[in-house]
Coordinates of all heavy atoms in Angstrom, one line a residue:
K1 N -122.1 -37.8 -42.7 CA -121.1 -37.7 -41.7 C -121.3 -38.9 -40.7 O -122.4 -39.1 -40.2 CB -121.2 -36.4 -41.0 CG -120.2 -36.3 -39.8 CD -120.3 -34.9 -39.1 CE -121.6 -34.7 -38.5 NZ -121.7 -33.5 -37.7
L2 N -120.3 -39.6 -40.5 CA -120.4 -40.8 -39.6 C -119.7 -40.5 -38.3 O -118.7 -39.8 -38.2 CB -119.7 -42.0 -40.2 CG -120.2 -42.4 -41.6 CD1 -119.3 -43.6 -42.1 CD2 -121.6 -42.9 -41.5
H3 N -120.4 -40.9 -37.2 CA -119.7 -40.7 -35.9 C -118.6 -41.7 -35.8 O -118.5 -42.7 -36.6 CB -120.8 -41.0 -34.8 CG -121.9 -39.9 -34.9 ND1 -121.7 -38.6 -34.5 CD2 -123.1 -40.0 -35.3 CE1 -122.8 -38.0 -34.7 NE2 -123.7 -38.8 -35.2
T4 N -117.7 -41.5 -34.9 CA -116.4 -42.3 -34.9 C -116.6 -43.8 -35.1 O -115.8 -44.4 -35.7 CB -115.7 -42.0 -33.6 OG1 -115.6 -40.6 -33.4 CG2 -114.3 -42.6 -33.6
N5 N -117.6 -44.4 -34.5 CA -117.8 -45.8 -34.6 C -118.6 -46.2 -35.8 O -118.9 -47.4 -36.0 CB -118.5 -46.4 -33.4 CG -117.6 -46.2 -32.1 OD1 -116.4 -46.2 -32.2 ND2 -118.2 -45.9 -31.0
G6 N -119.0 -45.3 -36.7 CA -119.8 -45.6 -37.9 C -119.1 -46.5 -38.9 O -117.8 -46.4 -39.0
D7 N -119.8 -47.3 -39.6 CA -119.2 -48.2 -40.6 C -119.3 -47.5 -41.9 O -120.3 -47.4 -42.5 CB -119.9 -49.5 -40.6 CG -119.3 -50.5 -41.7 OD1 -118.4 -50.1 -42.4 OD2 -119.7 -51.7 -41.7
I8 N -118.1 -47.0 -42.4 CA -118.1 -46.2 -43.6 C -118.5 -47.0 -44.8 O -119.1 -46.5 -45.8 CB -116.7 -45.5 -43.8 CG1 -116.9 -44.4 -44.8 CG2 -115.7 -46.5 -44.2 CD1 -115.8 -43.4 -44.8
T9 N -118.2 -48.3 -44.8 CA -118.5 -49.2 -46.0 C -120.0 -49.2 -46.2 O -120.5 -49.1 -47.4 CB -118.0 -50.6 -45.7 OG1 -116.6 -50.5 -45.4 CG2 -118.2 -51.5 -47.0
Q10 N -120.8 -49.3 -45.2 CA -122.3 -49.3 -45.3 C -122.8 -48.0 -45.8 O -123.7 -47.9 -46.7 CB -122.9 -49.7 -44.0 CG -122.7 -51.2 -43.6 CD -123.4 -51.5 -42.3 OE1 -123.8 -50.6 -41.6 NE2 -123.4 -52.8 -42.0
A11 N -122.2 -46.9 -45.3 CA -122.6 -45.6 -45.8 C -122.3 -45.4 -47.2 O -123.1 -44.8 -48.0 CB -122.0 -44.5 -44.9
V12 N -121.1 -45.8 -47.7 CA -120.7 -45.7 -49.1 C -121.7 -46.5 -50.0 O -122.2 -46.0 -51.0 CB -119.3 -46.2 -49.3 CG1 -119.0 -46.3 -50.8 CG2 -118.3 -45.2 -48.7
Y13 N -122.1 -47.6 -49.5 CA -123.1 -48.4 -50.2 C -124.4 -47.7 -50.3 O -125.1 -47.6 -51.4 CB -123.3 -49.8 -49.6 CG -124.4 -50.6 -50.3 CD1 -124.1 -51.2 -51.5 CD2 -125.6 -50.8 -49.7 CE1 -125.1 -52.0 -52.1 CE2 -126.6 -51.5 -50.4 CZ -126.4 -52.1 -51.6 OH -127.3 -52.8 -52.2
A14 N -124.8 -47.0 -49.2 CA -126.1 -46.2 -49.2 C -126.0 -45.1 -50.3 O -127.0 -44.9 -50.9 CB -126.3 -45.7 -47.8
T15 N -124.9 -44.5 -50.4 CA -124.8 -43.4 -51.4 C -125.0 -44.0 -52.8 O -125.5 -43.3 -53.7 CB -123.5 -42.6 -51.3 OG1 -122.4 -43.5 -51.6 CG2 -123.4 -41.9 -50.0
R16 N -124.5 -45.2 -53.1 CA -124.7 -45.8 -54.4 C -126.1 -46.0 -54.7 O -126.6 -45.8 -55.8 CB -123.9 -47.1 -54.4 CG -122.4 -47.0 -54.5 CD -121.8 -48.3 -54.9 NE -120.4 -48.1 -55.0 CZ -119.5 -48.7 -54.3 NH1 -119.8 -49.7 -53.4 NH2 -118.2 -48.5 -54.4
M17 N -126.9 -46.3 -53.7 CA -128.3 -46.5 -53.9 C -129.0 -45.2 -54.2 O -130.1 -45.2 -54.8 CB -128.9 -47.1 -52.6 CG -128.3 -48.5 -52.2 SD -128.6 -49.8 -53.4 CE -130.3 -50.0 -53.3
L18 N -128.4 -44.1 -53.8 CA -129.1 -42.8 -53.9 C -128.8 -42.1 -55.3 O -129.3 -41.1 -55.5 CB -128.6 -41.9 -52.8 CG -129.1 -42.2 -51.4 CD1 -128.4 -41.4 -50.4 CD2 -130.6 -42.1 -51.3
G19 N -127.9 -42.7 -56.1 CA -127.8 -42.0 -57.4 C -126.3 -42.0 -57.9 O -125.9 -41.1 -58.5
M20 N -125.6 -43.1 -57.7 CA -124.2 -43.1 -58.2 C -124.2 -43.1 -59.7 O -123.1 -42.7 -60.3 CB -123.5 -44.3 -57.7 CG -123.1 -44.2 -56.2 SD -122.0 -42.9 -55.8 CE -120.5 -43.6 -56.3
K21 N -125.2 -43.4 -60.4 CA -125.2 -43.4 -61.9 C -125.3 -41.9 -62.4 O -125.0 -41.6 -63.5 CB -126.3 -44.2 -62.5 CG -126.0 -45.7 -62.2 CD -127.0 -46.6 -62.8 CE -126.7 -48.0 -62.4 NZ -127.1 -49.0 -63.4
D22 N -125.8 -41.0 -61.6 CA -126.0 -39.6 -61.9 C -124.6 -38.9 -61.7 O -124.2 -38.8 -60.6 CB -127.0 -39.0 -61.1 CG -127.2 -37.5 -61.3 OD1 -126.5 -37.0 -62.2 OD2 -128.0 -36.9 -60.7
E23 N -124.0 -38.5 -62.8 CA -122.6 -37.9 -62.6 C -122.7 -36.5 -62.0 O -121.6 -36.0 -61.7 CB -121.9 -37.9 -64.0 CG -121.6 -39.3 -64.4 CD -121.0 -39.4 -65.8 OE1 -120.8 -38.3 -66.4 OE2 -120.7 -40.5 -66.3
N24 N -123.8 -36.0 -61.8 CA -123.9 -34.7 -61.1 C -124.1 -34.9 -59.6 O -124.2 -34.0 -58.8 CB -125.1 -33.9 -61.6 CG -124.8 -33.4 -63.0 OD1 -123.7 -32.9 -63.3 ND2 -125.7 -33.6 -63.9
F25 N -124.2 -36.2 -59.2 CA -124.4 -36.5 -57.8 C -123.0 -36.7 -57.2 O -122.2 -37.4 -57.7 CB -125.1 -37.9 -57.7 CG -125.4 -38.3 -56.3 CD1 -126.3 -37.6 -55.5 CD2 -124.8 -39.5 -55.8 CE1 -126.5 -38.0 -54.2 CE2 -125.1 -39.9 -54.5 CZ -125.9 -39.2 -53.7
N26 N -122.7 -35.8 -56.2 CA -121.3 -35.8 -55.6 C -121.3 -36.3 -54.2 O -121.3 -35.4 -53.3 CB -120.8 -34.3 -55.7 CG -120.7 -33.8 -57.1 OD1 -119.9 -34.4 -57.9 ND2 -121.4 -32.8 -57.5
P27 N -121.3 -37.6 -54.0 CA -121.4 -38.1 -52.6 C -120.1 -37.9 -51.8 O -119.0 -38.1 -52.3 CB -121.7 -39.5 -52.7 CG -121.2 -39.9 -54.1 CD -121.3 -38.7 -54.9
I28 N -120.3 -37.5 -50.6 CA -119.1 -37.3 -49.6 C -119.5 -38.1 -48.4 O -120.5 -37.8 -47.7 CB -118.9 -35.8 -49.3 CG1 -118.4 -35.1 -50.5 CG2 -117.8 -35.7 -48.2 CD1 -118.2 -33.6 -50.3
V29 N -118.8 -39.1 -48.1 CA -119.0 -39.9 -46.9 C -117.7 -39.8 -46.1 O -116.6 -40.1 -46.6 CB -119.3 -41.4 -47.3 CG1 -119.5 -42.2 -46.0 CG2 -120.5 -41.5 -48.2
F30 N -117.8 -39.4 -44.8 CA -116.6 -39.2 -44.0 C -116.9 -39.5 -42.6 O -118.0 -39.3 -42.1 CB -116.0 -37.8 -44.2 CG -116.9 -36.7 -43.7 CD1 -116.6 -36.1 -42.5 CD2 -117.9 -36.2 -44.5 CE1 -117.3 -35.1 -42.0 CE2 -118.7 -35.1 -44.0 CZ -118.4 -34.6 -42.8
R31 N -115.8 -39.8 -41.9 CA -115.8 -40.1 -40.5 C -115.7 -38.7 -39.8 O -114.8 -37.9 -40.1 CB -114.7 -41.0 -40.1 CG -114.8 -41.6 -38.7 CD -113.8 -42.6 -38.4 NE -113.7 -43.7 -39.4 CZ -114.4 -44.8 -39.4 NH1 -115.4 -45.0 -38.5 NH2 -114.3 -45.7 -40.3
E32 N -116.6 -38.5 -38.8 CA -116.5 -37.2 -38.0 C -115.2 -37.1 -37.3 O -114.6 -38.1 -36.8 CB -117.7 -37.2 -37.0 CG -117.8 -36.0 -36.2 CD -118.9 -36.1 -35.2 OE1 -119.1 -37.2 -34.6 OE2 -119.7 -35.1 -35.1
R33 N -114.7 -35.9 -37.2 CA -113.5 -35.6 -36.5 C -113.9 -34.6 -35.3 O -114.5 -33.5 -35.6 CB -112.4 -34.9 -37.4 CG -111.9 -35.9 -38.4 CD -110.7 -35.3 -39.1 NE -109.7 -34.8 -38.2 CZ -108.6 -35.5 -37.9 NH1 -108.4 -36.7 -38.5 NH2 -107.7 -35.0 -37.1
S34 N -113.6 -34.9 -34.1 CA -113.9 -34.0 -33.0 C -113.1 -32.8 -33.0 O -113.5 -31.8 -32.4 CB -113.8 -34.8 -31.7 OG -112.4 -35.2 -31.5
D35 N -112.0 -32.8 -33.7 CA -111.1 -31.6 -33.7 C -111.3 -30.7 -34.8 O -110.6 -29.7 -35.0 CB -109.6 -32.0 -33.6 CG -109.3 -32.9 -34.8 OD1 -110.1 -33.5 -35.4 OD2 -108.0 -33.0 -35.1
M36 N -112.3 -30.9 -35.7 CA -112.5 -30.1 -36.9 C -114.0 -29.9 -37.1 O -114.8 -30.8 -36.8 CB -111.9 -30.8 -38.1 CG -110.5 -30.9 -38.1 SD -109.9 -31.7 -39.7 CE -108.2 -32.0 -39.3
S37 N -114.4 -28.8 -37.8 CA -115.7 -28.7 -38.3 C -115.9 -29.6 -39.5 O -114.9 -30.1 -40.0 CB -116.0 -27.2 -38.6 OG -115.2 -26.9 -39.8
D38 N -117.1 -29.7 -39.9 CA -117.4 -30.6 -41.1 C -116.6 -30.1 -42.4 O -116.0 -30.8 -43.1 CB -118.9 -30.7 -41.4 CG -119.6 -31.5 -40.3 OD1 -118.9 -32.1 -39.5 OD2 -120.8 -31.6 -40.4
P39 N -116.7 -28.8 -42.7 CA -116.0 -28.3 -43.9 C -114.5 -28.5 -43.7 O -113.8 -28.9 -44.7 CB -116.3 -26.8 -43.9 CG -117.6 -26.7 -43.3 CD -117.6 -27.7 -42.2

């Protein structure tokens, strides 16, 4: 979860480093919304 000013591109790259070749790895990278819970 990225805070409003977070750079989503860097975070997406970080998830690739964590296991993008593993098809059971389900990365979710998103910008936080103050009006909603994470789910």
